Amino acid sequence: MLCVFLLSTISLSAQVWLPPIATAGSADSDDALAVVYDSFGGKYVVGSFHASMNFPNLPTMVNLGQDDAFIAHYTAANVTDWSMSIGSVGWDAPFAIDGDSVGIYVCGYYENTIIIGTDTLIQNGISIFVMKINIPSHTVAWVRSFESAGAAYAFGIKRDASDGILIGGSFHQNLTFGTDT
């Protein structure tokens, strides 16, 4: 079994461990895949879990199928104060996160149908999701899906100073961006 962790360094010579992200009931691996600081000194982590995931001070998240995605926030005092799961009956994982003072941006992939906030994304394969979560309310601002006839994965996301987003990934066969293929 693999568990996920965060390590915060004050400097290269002084390291401070954050509270562990403990798994509960998972016989398989759970993965922290990306982290980012927020503008308030807190930290966001995204990753995947197989059976269930338990962050300190928060309710246990239960998997809906294969691997599900999670997003969690640690305050500047290293206390977990929010988390959400994103799941379907298939494989789901976020691979990247970036943020600014008003939101965090997450990208990854999902398989089949997935519900994120109030949005339902439907695809008969493996497709990309991109989402924005408002800070500090932690509400889902928007979600976008980019679909492929084969498989598509988003591995990197960066926000620029003009409020644009750069996403990097890969796809097999074709990839649909809105009405463009």
Side-chain angles (χ1 to χ4, degrees), residues 8-98:
S8 178
T9 59
I10 297 170
S11 69
L12 291 178
S13 61
Q15 298 175 351
V16 176
W17 282 96
L18 298 180
I21 301 170
T23 60
S26 178
D28 293 306
S29 65
D30 302 321
D31 301 300
L33 299 169
V35 295
V36 69
Y37 279 103
D38 66 22
S39 59
F40 308 104
K43 303 125 194 100
Y44 285 92
V45 58
V46 297
S48 63
F49 67 100
H50 190 72
S52 62
M53 190 70 152
N54 183 22
F55 291 93
N57 309 313
L58 299 174
T60 299
M61 294 184 281
V62 178
N63 181 288
L64 299 176
Q66 300 295 326
D67 282 1
D68 282 356
F70 70 82
I71 307 168
H73 181 254
Y74 283 84
T75 66
N78 298 328
V79 175
T80 50
D81 66 347
W82 173 82
S83 67
M84 76 178 287
S85 63
I86 302 168
S88 71
V89 296
W91 299 92
D92 314 299
F95 283 113
I97 185 169
D98 198 15

Side-chain angles (χ1 to χ4, degrees), residues 9 15-16 18 25 30 46 58 89 92 99 105-107 110 123-124 132 135 138-139 148-149 163 169:
T9 59
Q15 298 175 351
V16 176
L18 298 180
D30 302 321
V46 297
L58 299 174
V89 296
D92 314 299
Y105 305 85
V106 178
C107 69
Y110 69 98
Q123 170 63 13
N124 292 322
K132 177 185 178 185
I135 295 176
H138 292 124
T139 56
S148 171
D163 208 26

Side-chain angles (χ1 to χ4, degrees), residues 157-175:
I157 190 167
K158 290 293 178 191
R159 188 190 161 282
D160 67 19
S162 302
D163 208 26
I165 298 172
L166 178 64
I167 302 164
S170 63
F171 67 94
H172 174 67
Q173 294 179 352
N174 60 358
L175 184 61

